[in-house]
Amino acid sequence: LTNGGAHLIRLDEAMALHDLAMTSFRQWWVRHSRNGYGGLNVTQRCGITHFKKGLLRARLWVALPFIAIALAWLTSVYFDQTLGLVVGTALLMLLPAQLFRLAFRATLNGLPLNIAVFHAIFTMIANWPNVQGQLQYLKDSMLSKTMRLIEYKA
């Protein structure tokens, strides 16, 4: 709509209550996998860039441990083992720093600390099923499969 010149107006009032009624971790995981699949689908097929930032962010946080290990190993091989350890550790420390940042921001938004910490942890974990969904979409599109509906309450 916005690409066609339309303007969206956000209302300041809640319009509806939405009960996901998720009762298992598996449902939550599949829901986030669906988000990755659908976000990449809309981004690639329709050219809508609204989801692009979140998709890239999920890829970054999932790839970070692998990048840290690879750079630590390369630094150890070509320079010094101690330097490799420092490089790897510094990159891996971005994960708890992001957890802290997410929890801190959630407390600023009014969540109690214990809930904010769980919010931060599950926000970071949610990147993994999101990337899983993106990879499933890429696999489906490369194999010319029709796009699928991913149900999380089946």
Side-chain angles (χ1 to χ4, degrees):
L1 292 173
T2 55
N3 288 346
H7 296 284
L8 299 178
I9 298 172
R10 293 189 185 268
L11 300 177
D12 219 6
E13 295 292 323
M15 299 301 292
L17 292 176
H18 186 60
D19 180 17
L20 296 176
M22 283 191 226
T23 58
S24 71
F25 182 77
R26 184 185 179 287
Q27 288 176 324
W28 176 86
W29 185 278
V30 173
R31 171 68 184 232
H32 284 283
S33 177
R34 174 183 168 165
N35 290 345
Y37 189 99
L40 191 57
N41 179 10
V42 167
T43 299
Q44 289 199 342
R45 285 191 321 124
C46 305
I48 298 172
T49 59
H50 177 74
F51 301 105
K52 199 171 194 173
K53 193 174 175 182
L55 296 170
L56 292 172
R57 185 181 310 118
R59 290 179 207 162
L60 168 74
W61 288 113
V62 168
L64 183 67
F66 303 106
I67 293 168
I69 291 168
L71 284 177
W73 178 77
L74 286 171
T75 306
S76 295
V77 168
Y78 291 106
F79 297 102
D80 179 53
Q81 275 189 332
T82 305
L83 182 61
L85 185 61
V86 169
V87 167
T89 303
L91 286 172
L92 288 175
M93 289 306 292
L94 292 173
L95 293 167
Q98 175 69 348
L99 283 171
F100 177 78
R101 188 187 76 81
L102 290 170
F104 180 72
R105 288 189 65 183
T107 57
L108 290 179
N109 289 332
L111 284 180
L113 182 60
N114 60 339
I115 302 295
V117 169
F118 278 107
H119 166 76
I121 290 168
F122 280 97
T123 297
M124 292 298 287
I125 293 171
N127 290 316
W128 290 88
N130 188 296
V131 170
Q132 178 189 22
Q134 293 179 50
L135 291 173
Q136 185 63 53
Y137 173 80
L138 292 173
K139 178 182 166 192
D140 286 353
S141 62
M142 283 192 303
L143 297 175
S144 299
K145 288 186 176 181
T146 56
M147 298 303 117
R148 63 178 80 197
L149 174 64
I150 300 173
E151 287 292 339
Y152 57 93
K153 286 187 174 184

